[in-house]
């Protein structure tokens, strides 16, 4: 059996292979509610053979959205529509996961196809963003409002409510977007966190919000279901969050009940240069995996043999594919064929196999 198509069980959840749909914002929800686009988008990837279909970043509060089109899970109506999608995904052999997110200072933007620039006023449809410190993300970006203690407590309460709704929607994997310069990552990095209270300064203080969210999640989320986190393993910037920090964090969250760390990079420093090449973030996954936690590798993984090799060599437990699964939702079925692996196809498609 190819390594890519070997099953994996985490707690009480079985994954039929090692391919996950990496979260990808679609920016077309209305008031955070998914519609037929999301149903078809996620449904296609489920029948395409991925073991895990993860939602895009799903905001825990309206102000936690990147754009007005982000998915949300801050109310009952959003949860109900998500549940329909979850039922379809899980009715077709894939596991449904939800990525919870808060955009922090990277909120209040136009959709990429509308320029992707920040909406600087409420007349334009924008909103005030929040962050650990009032440092704008880059040029032509607004300074966010520094969260006070009450603001931090509200963020935590929003996460707690969202986790309860994710259970009601039937998700089997709970994932947190702690990467790419969004709110929790902003707390982690000394470049975006200049606080002088319990949430800033030392490593222990900068990871405090993350730790508190994870502890809360493990209290609320069923013990038989996995919790994943996605981090930026490095910021590619001197003085920023580095791989050594990620390794130290992985040891801590593993003991708190996090099952898998998805290892991405960058996103918090607008001017950072990232040397892109196939599988360029895989070494981060391998380094974090040495702590004993399961890992996901993500970033420019596009080929079945490359993906198989990442699992076979023990550099990751899952591969998360984003753009390749936009190009080809049936990539897992094609990968199985290329690796000589017989996997079941949807019965409706069997005559094409
Ligand atoms: C359209 C698009 C939307 C994305 N949205 C998210 C997101 O919501 N959450 C997230 O963690 N990463 C997001 N990403 C990043 C991907 O999950 C992934 O980390 C990155 O694209 C590298 O993987 P790839 O080379 O397979 O595309 C997005 C990427 C794309 C292309």
């Amino acid at each position: 059996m190819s390594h890519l198509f070997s099953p994996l069980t985490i707690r009480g959840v079985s994954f039929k292979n090692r391919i996950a749909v990496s979260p990808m914002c679609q920016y077309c929800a209305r008031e955070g509610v998914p519609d037929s686009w999301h149903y078809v988008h996620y449904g296609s990837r489920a029948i395409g053979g991925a073991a895990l279909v993860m939602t895009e970043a799903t905001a825990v509060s309206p102000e936690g959205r990147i754009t007005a089109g982000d998915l949300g899970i801050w109310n009952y109506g959003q949860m109900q529509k998500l549940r329909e999608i979850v039922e379809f995904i899980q009715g077709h052999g894939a596991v449904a996961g939800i990525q919870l997110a808060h955009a922090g200072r990277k909120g209040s933007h136009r959709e990429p196809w509308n320029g992707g620039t920040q909406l600087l006023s409420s007349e334009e449809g924008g909103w005030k963003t929040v962050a650990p410190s009032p440092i704008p993300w880059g040029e032509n970006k607004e300074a966010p409002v520094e969260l006070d203690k009450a603001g931090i407590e509200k963020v935590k309460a929003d996460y707690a409510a969202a986790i309860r709704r994710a259970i009601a929607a039937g998700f089997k994997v709970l994932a947190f977007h702690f990467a790419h310069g969004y709110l929790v990552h902003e707390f982690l990095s000394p470049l975006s966190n200049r606080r002088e209270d319990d949430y800033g300064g030392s490593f222990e203080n900068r990871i405090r919000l993350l730790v508190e969210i994870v502890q809360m999640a493990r209290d609320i989320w069923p013990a038989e279901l996995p919790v994943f986190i996605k981090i930026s393993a490095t910021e590619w910037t001197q003085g920023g969050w580095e791989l050594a920090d990620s390794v130290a964090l992985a040891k801590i969250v593993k003991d708190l009940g996090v099952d898998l760390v998805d290892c991405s990079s960058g996103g918090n420093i607008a001017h950072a240069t990232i040397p892109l090449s196939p599988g360029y973030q895989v070494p981060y996954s391998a380094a974090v995996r040495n702590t004993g936690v399961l890992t996901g590798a993500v970033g420019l993984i596009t080929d079945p043999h490359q993906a198989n090799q990442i699992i076979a060599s023990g550099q990751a437990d899952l591969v998360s594919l984003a753009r390749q699964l936009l190009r080809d939702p049936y990539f897992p079925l094609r990968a199985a064929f290329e690796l000589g692996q017989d996997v079941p196809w949807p019965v409706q498609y069997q005559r094409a196999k």
Side-chain angles (χ1 to χ4, degrees):
M1 179 183 282
S2 68
H3 292 268
L4 191 59
F5 285 89
S6 59
L8 174 70
T9 299
I10 308 178
R11 296 184 185 250
V13 177
S14 293
F15 301 88
K16 63 185 172 188
N17 60 51
R18 307 306 183 95
I19 303 172
V21 179
S22 199
M24 279 178 284
C25 285
Q26 301 296 293
Y27 305 117
C28 60
R30 283 166 208 259
E31 304 293 332
V33 181
D35 67 10
S36 51
W37 173 268
H38 301 88
Y39 201 96
V40 173
H41 169 70
Y42 291 116
S44 309
R45 272 96 205 143
I47 63 180
L52 170 62
V53 177
M54 186 69 79
T55 68
E56 64 205 85
T58 304
V60 298
S61 61
E63 65 277 13
R65 290 175 294 176
I66 306 165
T67 75
D70 286 23
L71 265 192
I73 187 159
W74 66 83
N75 67 37
Y76 182 78
Q78 295 159 346
M79 183 282 289
Q80 268 187 317
K81 279 284 173 197
L82 284 168
R83 189 163 58 196
E84 290 173 22
I85 297 173
V86 168
E87 279 169 8
F88 184 90
I89 293 170
Q90 294 184 162
H92 291 81
V95 172
I98 184 166
Q99 187 190 49
L100 296 183
H102 189 305
R105 66 177 176 173
K106 291 177 86 173
S108 189
H109 278 70
R110 293 183 175 82
E111 300 78 9
W113 52 85
N114 287 323
T117 48
Q118 195 162 27
L119 292 155
L120 298 173
S121 71
S122 53
E123 289 80 52
E124 292 183 308
W127 60 90
K128 270 274 164 219
T129 61
V130 295
S133 301
I135 306 168
W137 180 53
E139 278 174 32
N140 304 319
K141 305 287 179 186
E142 203 174 31
V145 175
E146 178 173 324
L147 280 169
D148 58 14
K149 264 283 167 57
I152 291 176
E153 289 307 314
K154 180 188 179 300
V155 167
K156 284 159 50 183
D158 289 339
Y159 269 100
I163 295 165
R164 292 197 172 88
R165 289 191 194 99
I167 296 170
F171 287 102
K172 295 283 180 269
V173 174
L174 176 66
F176 290 105
H177 197 350
F178 294 155
H180 301 169
Y182 298 111
L183 183 68
V184 174
H185 180 176
E186 291 159 18
F187 272 86
L188 298 181
S189 170
L191 300 176
S192 46
N193 181 347
R194 300 273 166 76
R195 299 176 74 92
E196 291 178 357
D197 65 359
D198 294 353
Y199 289 89
S202 66
F203 173 82
E204 285 68 29
N205 282 355
R206 283 180 282 115
I207 69 167
R208 188 177 306 281
L209 177 61
L210 184 156
V211 164
E212 288 175 345
I213 292 172
V214 163
Q215 282 172 329
M216 203 170 60
R218 263 292 154 226
D219 283 345
I220 301 171
W221 187 247
E224 69 275 15
L225 301 181
V227 172
F228 292 7
I229 68 171
K230 183 167 180 175
I231 60 167
S232 286
T234 176
E235 297 191 305
W236 301 104
T237 307
Q238 195 124 44
W241 181 268
E242 295 175 356
L243 178 60
D245 298 311
S246 298
V247 170
L249 177 69
K251 288 182 188 147
I252 293 167
V253 296
K254 179 176 180 285
D255 290 344
L256 296 174
V258 166
D259 299 290
L260 183 140
V261 179
D262 202 9
C263 297
S264 189
S265 74
N268 195 35
I269 306 302
H271 57 75
T273 16
I274 304 182
L276 299 173
S277 62
Y280 67 107
Q281 293 170 154
V282 174
Y284 298 126
S285 165
V288 170
R289 195 168 183 266
N290 282 337
T291 64
V293 76
L294 302 177
T295 60
V298 63
L300 291 175
I301 302 169
T302 55
D303 173 78
H305 295 279
Q306 174 200 20
N308 188 50
Q309 184 54 27
I310 291 167
I311 304 296
S313 57
Q315 296 180 93
D317 300 280
L318 281 181
V319 285
S320 290
L321 275 60
R323 287 164 291 182
Q324 189 61 17
L325 282 169
L326 291 186
R327 295 179 194 113
D328 178 6
Y330 302 103
F331 174 88
L333 299 181
R334 187 165 60 74
F337 180 76
E338 276 191 35
L339 296 172
Q341 184 78 46
D342 188 26
V343 299
W345 278 33
V347 287
Q348 297 89 334
Y349 289 2
Q350 264 172 8
R351 290 180 66 189
K353 194 173 173 188

